[in-house]
Amino acid sequence: MAGKASLVSARALRIAIMTDEIGWHSARLQKALRARGCSGRCVDLADCRIDTGWAWHGLVIPGFGRDLPDAVLVRGIAGGTFEQVTVRLGILHALRELGVPVYNDARAIERSVDKSMTSLLLHLAGIPTPHASTSESAAHARRVVMRAAAGNQRLVLKPLFGSQGNGLRQVGQIDGEFVELPPLVEYGQLAYLQQYVESATRPGFDWRVLVVGGRAVAAMRRVSKNWVRNVAQGAHCEPEPITGSSMLEIADIAVQATAALDLDYAGVDLVPRDSAGTVVSAAQVIEVNGVAAWRGLQTVTSFDIAACLVDDLLTRKLAAGGRCGRVAC
Ligand SMILES: Nc1ncnc2c1ncn2[C@@H]1O[C@H](COP(=O)(O)OP(=O)(O)O)[C@@H](O)[C@H]1O
Ligand SMILES: [Mg+2]
């Protein structure tokens, strides 16, 4: 048995990079893993299967034969039918149950992908975030919008699982005009409404803070004339050193938000205090990304973000437990 144990610890760790897109991010991760003597194999979760006749653990992970990876790094999960996504997430849940460290874990990804659950968990943890509500009833949602408009407020309607700034609409009282709720068919018949935070500057900006292993490691400003300040919507990135009391406070909010969702790493979107200064903190959390891209942030960051993620996975996450936690890479 001692011989077997030393054989296991002698071999390089094999990491599955779960991604539906082979490209810049997966190449950076593979390079960082290679530099640490590990292998990173890209696997599309859509190609993974449950097959109880295949191996004792009942999972088929392409490229791993009857074995399981030593750890899984989730880089992307393709959208699909409810059934397809249920099984894809189920496979990540199963890997965790089988003792494979999954970075980020499926439970945490589910919480962050669902914007309403993010709002709820941030609220419960006392983290500054704009008020948000959901409703399956269009009639109820219309009343919420009308109430906001009566108070001269506007709200942001967002797709529950949206990303890259797609599908966001302002509703309510906007520049003296009432904008009503659009039909919810494009929103999965669900209204997720978040209080709008007016920008105090022109052009406005967001902060994106990357939190890795409980530390805010990098930040940037996303500056845009557009009120939706995603890089995919044309915002440009400016470096934001995490120094000075205000930025340290913002970084701390991002760390707390990541912890509230139980994420190993996250890209946290924050907006500055609104122009009316109604919020005491320097910033409010708009969204927490559990499958965060970092290409924009890398352009204004001096260290290799992929290497930072891989180091956190190999040193902290694997050391914390799992079937190969004792194995040094
Ligand atoms: N409540 C809000 N108030 C002001 N701006 C917002 C609000 N919600 C979103 N935005 C703007 O839209 C961007 C995208 O919203 P976000 O909730 O992060 O969705 P996505 O998942 O599409 O990135 C934010 O980064 C911000 O610039
Ligand atoms: Mg966002």
Side-chain angles (χ1 to χ4, degrees):
M1 283 314 281
K4 191 177 176 201
S6 58
L7 261 182
V8 171
S9 57
R11 73 165 170 77
L13 292 185
R14 298 192 307 157
I15 314 296
I17 302 170
M18 295 297 188
T19 181
D20 56 321
E21 234 182 70
I22 296 190
W24 185 86
H25 287 90
S26 56
R28 300 291 287 225
L29 290 169
Q30 283 177 314
K31 186 167 169 236
L33 284 163
R34 257 196 321 274
R36 285 148 187 82
C38 305
S39 73
R41 189 178 188 100
C42 290
V43 180
D44 191 339
L45 261 172
D47 295 331
C48 296
R49 292 183 290 114
I50 289 174
D51 183 345
T52 56
W54 170 249
W56 67 268
H57 48 72
L59 295 181
V60 185
I61 312 294
F64 290 85
R66 285 187 163 76
D67 289 341
L68 293 174
D70 293 307
V72 168
L73 202 157
V74 183
R75 181 45 231 131
I77 306 174
T81 64
F82 186 65
E83 289 82 351
Q84 288 169 331
V85 174
T86 298
V87 172
R88 288 173 202 166
L89 287 167
I91 287 166
L92 293 181
H93 281 292
L95 284 161
R96 179 197 63 240
E97 296 303 315
L98 290 161
V100 178
V102 180
Y103 187 90
N104 280 311
D105 182 58
R107 272 191 300 223
I109 290 175
E110 283 164 1
R111 289 174 186 160
S112 65
V113 167
D114 173 350
K115 286 183 165 53
S116 68
M117 186 50 64
T118 301
S119 291
L120 179 64
L121 291 171
L122 294 177
H123 168 74
L124 290 173
I127 294 162
T129 186
H131 289 304
S133 68
T134 63
S135 181
E136 289 190 36
S137 155
H140 179 264
R142 274 196 294 274
R143 283 200 295 279
V144 172
V145 173
M146 279 188 305
R147 250 201 321 271
N152 204 25
Q153 302 282 314
R154 53 180 104 169
L155 303 172
V156 182
L157 171 69
K158 302 187 190 185
L160 195 70
F161 305 140
S163 66
Q164 303 200 322
N166 292 321
L168 273 72
R169 299 265 276 267
Q170 290 185 18
V171 292
Q173 198 66 20
I174 301 170
D175 301 328
E177 281 191 28
F178 177 69
V179 177
E180 67 177 321
L181 193 78
L184 293 177
V185 58
E186 283 169 37
Y187 295 84
Q189 301 296 354
L190 184 112
Y192 167 71
L193 293 161
Q194 189 180 52
Q195 212 174 37
Y196 175 71
V197 183
E198 179 72 51
S199 178
T201 57
R202 292 279 180 277
F205 69 92
D206 294 353
W207 285 287
R208 162 57 66 94
V209 179
L210 180 69
V211 177
V212 179
R215 272 189 332 118
V217 297
M220 66 171 170
R221 283 184 187 215
R222 295 190 310 210
V223 186
S224 179
K225 286 192 195 124
N226 186 347
W227 72 274
V228 180
R229 293 173 292 261
N230 294 69
V231 175
Q233 303 292 330
H236 76 267
C237 307
E238 292 183 1
E240 182 76 88
I242 306 178
T243 51
S245 61
S246 167
M247 205 50 218
L248 286 170
E249 185 199 339
I250 288 158
D252 186 51
I253 294 171
V255 168
Q256 288 177 44
T258 305
L261 272 67
D262 222 2
L263 288 157
D264 291 309
Y265 76 97
V268 184
D269 293 341
L270 303 104
V271 288
R273 193 198 320 252
D274 64 8
S275 49
T278 44
V279 177
V280 181
S281 61
Q284 300 191 73
V285 177
I286 287 285
E287 198 213 0
V288 183
N289 297 275
V291 193
W294 65 88
R295 199 165 182 171
L297 186 60
Q298 187 65 76
T299 63
V300 293
T301 301
S302 55
F303 62 88
D304 181 13
I305 293 172
C308 175
L309 292 167
V310 162
D311 284 341
D312 185 51
L313 167 66
L314 297 179
T315 56
R316 186 190 57 81
K317 181 84 174 175
L318 264 73
R323 64 199 278 271
C324 53
R326 66 190 186 286
V327 182
C329 182

